[in-house]
Amino acid sequence: MVTLLAAPAEPLTNAGDTQLVLAALLGIAAVVLLIAWGKVHPFLALILGAAVLGVVAAVPVDKIVTSFSGGVGSTVGGVGLLIALGAMIGGLLAESGGADGIVERVVGRVSGTALPWAMAGVAALIGLPLFFEVGVVLLVPIVLLVSLRVNVPLIKIGIPALAGLSVLHGLVPPHPGPLVAIDALGANLGQTLALGLLVAIPTVIIAGPVFGNFIARYVPATAPAELLPTRRDADDRSPTRPGDGRLDADGDLVTEDDLVNPGTGRPGGAIDEPAGRRSRRAPALWAAVVTVLLPVVLMLLRAIGELTLGEGTTGRKALDIVGTPIIALLAGVIFAMIFLGYRSGFSRTQVSGFLGGSLPPIAGILLIVAAGGGFKQVLVDAGVGDLVANAADGANLSPLLLGWLVAVGIRVATGSATVATITAAGIVAPLADTLAAPEVALLALAIGCGSLFFSHVNDAGFWLVKEYFGLTVGQTIKSWSVMETIISVVGFLGVLLLDVFI
């Protein structure tokens, strides 16, 4: 696992404790105000917040730049590759229809009363490799159709689906938030993954089917007609989605998502080869499931090997290699290319286009994560992290509680789970040195739980859910915002319970 640059032996400033606290508060306040009030992109807000923090803490300007740049570089090196590989897996699942196959197969085999539980399980499975927004886009059309066809309240099956996606997004790597916390704290990824899954299961159940059954009585909602997915015949050449109406050689609508044709290098060009129609078939269900689970299984096997096999043994060395996050995710990408791409009738050019098209949407995430890593490094290098650690030690405050509370505060203020995770991890990072490996993993999970607390109007996910489900702002707060709060609290209680037994 790649870790962030270690804090220097001596802080970059001789500022006193009061000045450091003021610097941290003003730096964080600058980020919050720029995002929430100034509507500045979080990438720029984090850069400016780091500058405010450094200046107030009397850190020389050149050292602010050096510290920030070091944090950006090490964060991209440790987290950026994993985010990119995870996005590629998600892109192939979406474009090949593999994700749709998982959803339709499970939902088609359960009764109406079991649908909320099925949707929660499917969302959790889909949520392993997909970003929350991608998972919503994939699942919501199915949720809307199921609600319409079997006459089940939309919120009753929608909340379980959202809970499954949100819990996995906040607690389980390879999602950006958990990866950032793991990287900043030096936690073991395999242990965090295993413990995260243990916390995720009861959290999804309580925040999903249980809460969904309750809140559906108070939030009536019907599927927006304009969002219901429709199918067209294979020979129908008329576009049915927004776009410019151009069709490729296979009769598929060409959109701006088809960014670059590897054969022509022309932006906006179709990714399909100019040859005639290719024979395509839906990928096998087992191929889609294996694509989702392969990276997770490989990383879990590495964690098991670390606990059961002696260091230096052949088996341990093999598991250490295949369970390395980059190798595990790369294996998932290659498997998906073969079994969801080539074996399903897509050409090499098309598969390459799917992979390339999955990267631009994560550019913003990578920039925010990178800038957050720089902000965190300035916090640490200025000595703020050590100051907080000493204060927590003197107050006998649990590191888990401190991490959760800091993440909650930043989440509510900024609306960004990623910013909350990055900031909280940077502040409590020095405490990780005093904890055993399993407790460090639990600290990463506690921060992840706090980063999901009470999504409201300053969170893009709030508006995404509101528009997809056709809710009012009040209804969205009653359902989505309360669900996120339940996830945060129940997940944190699960972390505390595991801490008792570990």
Side-chain angles (χ1 to χ4, degrees):
M1 179 185 68
V2 181
T3 55
L4 293 177
L5 293 177
E10 294 294 333
L12 299 179
T13 176
N14 294 321
D17 291 351
T18 301
Q19 186 176 354
L20 286 177
V21 171
L22 179 63
L25 291 176
L26 290 178
I28 294 172
V31 174
V32 172
L33 290 175
L34 287 170
I35 294 174
W37 178 77
K39 307 303 179 185
V40 176
H41 192 278
F43 173 67
L44 292 176
L46 286 163
I47 295 176
L48 295 174
V52 170
L53 189 158
V55 169
V56 176
V59 177
V61 174
D62 61 329
K63 292 185 178 180
I64 295 176
V65 174
T66 300
S67 176
F68 186 87
S69 300
V72 168
S74 55
T75 301
V76 172
V79 180
L81 289 175
L82 304 185
I83 294 175
L85 291 171
M88 286 183 170
I89 292 176
L92 285 168
L93 277 169
E95 296 289 353
S96 68
D100 290 337
I102 295 174
V103 172
E104 292 172 358
R105 178 68 63 90
V106 174
V107 170
R109 295 191 176 188
V110 297
S111 64
T113 57
L115 276 176
W117 298 86
M119 292 308 303
V122 170
L125 182 63
I126 293 295
L128 281 172
L130 298 182
F131 292 112
F132 175 79
E133 293 81 1
V134 177
V136 169
V137 171
L138 286 174
L139 279 180
V140 164
I142 302 298
V143 170
L144 298 180
L145 277 177
V146 170
S147 173
L148 184 67
R149 291 176 182 174
V150 301
N151 197 27
V152 176
L154 179 59
I155 293 297
K156 188 173 182 177
I157 58 175
I159 286 295
L162 293 173
L165 291 172
S166 182
V167 170
L168 272 293
H169 179 77
L171 299 183
V172 180
H175 289 287
L179 284 176
V180 168
I182 290 167
D183 206 42
L185 300 174
N188 181 284
L189 192 147
Q191 288 183 350
T192 308
L193 175 59
L195 295 173
L197 290 173
L198 287 177
V199 173
I201 293 172
T203 303
V204 169
I205 291 173
I206 295 173
V210 174
F211 176 66
N213 284 331
F214 168 78
I215 198 62
R217 308 171 199 168
Y218 305 99
V219 181
T222 55
E226 65 275 12
L227 294 180
L228 287 171
T230 57
R231 296 184 181 274
R232 60 193 177 102
D233 296 333
D235 294 330
D236 183 3
R237 292 292 195 267
S238 62
T240 58
R241 294 174 287 176
D244 59 10
R246 292 177 291 136
L247 298 173
D248 65 14
D250 292 330
D252 296 328
L253 182 68
V254 179
T255 70
E256 293 305 315
D257 290 333
D258 299 329
L259 294 175
V260 177
N261 183 336
T264 65
R266 181 172 59 86
I271 62 173
D272 293 288
E273 293 175 325
R277 183 186 301 273
R278 294 178 60 90
S279 175
R280 297 179 188 168
R281 61 182 182 275
L285 178 64
W286 69 266
V289 173
V290 171
T291 297
V292 172
L293 296 181
L294 180 60
V296 178
V297 171
L298 291 177
M299 287 187 281
L300 284 176
L301 287 175
R302 179 186 181 184
I304 294 172
E306 291 174 347
L307 296 174
T308 60
L309 300 178
E311 189 171 354
T313 61
T314 302
R316 173 72 177 273
K317 290 180 179 179
L319 291 178
D320 284 345
I321 294 174
V322 300
T324 301
I326 291 177
I327 301 298
L329 285 167
L330 182 60
V333 172
I334 294 173
F335 183 91
M337 289 173 62
I338 296 172
F339 290 96
L340 299 183
Y342 308 140
R343 298 285 288 271
S344 296
F346 292 102
S347 68
R348 293 188 299 273
T349 305
Q350 288 174 306
V351 172
S352 177
F354 296 156
L355 294 174
S358 67
L359 296 178
I362 67 170
I365 294 175
L366 284 175
L367 287 174
I368 294 172
V369 169
F375 182 85
K376 173 260 179 187
Q377 198 63 41
V378 175
L379 268 173
V380 172
D381 290 351
V384 175
D386 291 332
L387 178 65
V388 173
N390 294 335
D393 182 58
N396 293 319
L397 191 62
S398 164
L400 300 181
L401 179 60
L402 179 64
W404 184 78
L405 288 174
V406 172
V408 165
I410 302 300
R411 160 68 163 180
V412 172
T414 67
S416 172
T418 303
V419 172
T421 300
I422 292 168
T423 306
I427 289 176
V428 304
L431 297 176
D433 296 334
T434 66
L435 303 175
E439 291 178 310
V440 178
L442 290 176
L443 179 57
L445 294 176
I447 292 172
C449 290
S451 73
L452 299 176
F453 191 90
F454 195 72
S455 163
H456 58 99
V457 295
N458 61 357
D459 178 18
F462 178 92
W463 299 103
L464 186 68
V465 172
K466 175 188 176 297
E467 296 303 319
Y468 263 114
F469 286 87
L471 303 174
T472 65
V473 170
Q475 288 176 326
T476 310
I477 291 175
K478 291 178 183 177
S479 54
W480 162 255
S481 300
V482 174
M483 183 206 76
E484 288 283 85
T485 303
I486 292 173
I487 290 173
S488 179
V489 174
V490 172
F492 182 60
L493 292 176
V495 169
L496 293 179
L497 184 62
L498 286 177
D499 189 47
V500 173
F501 297 99
I502 293 179

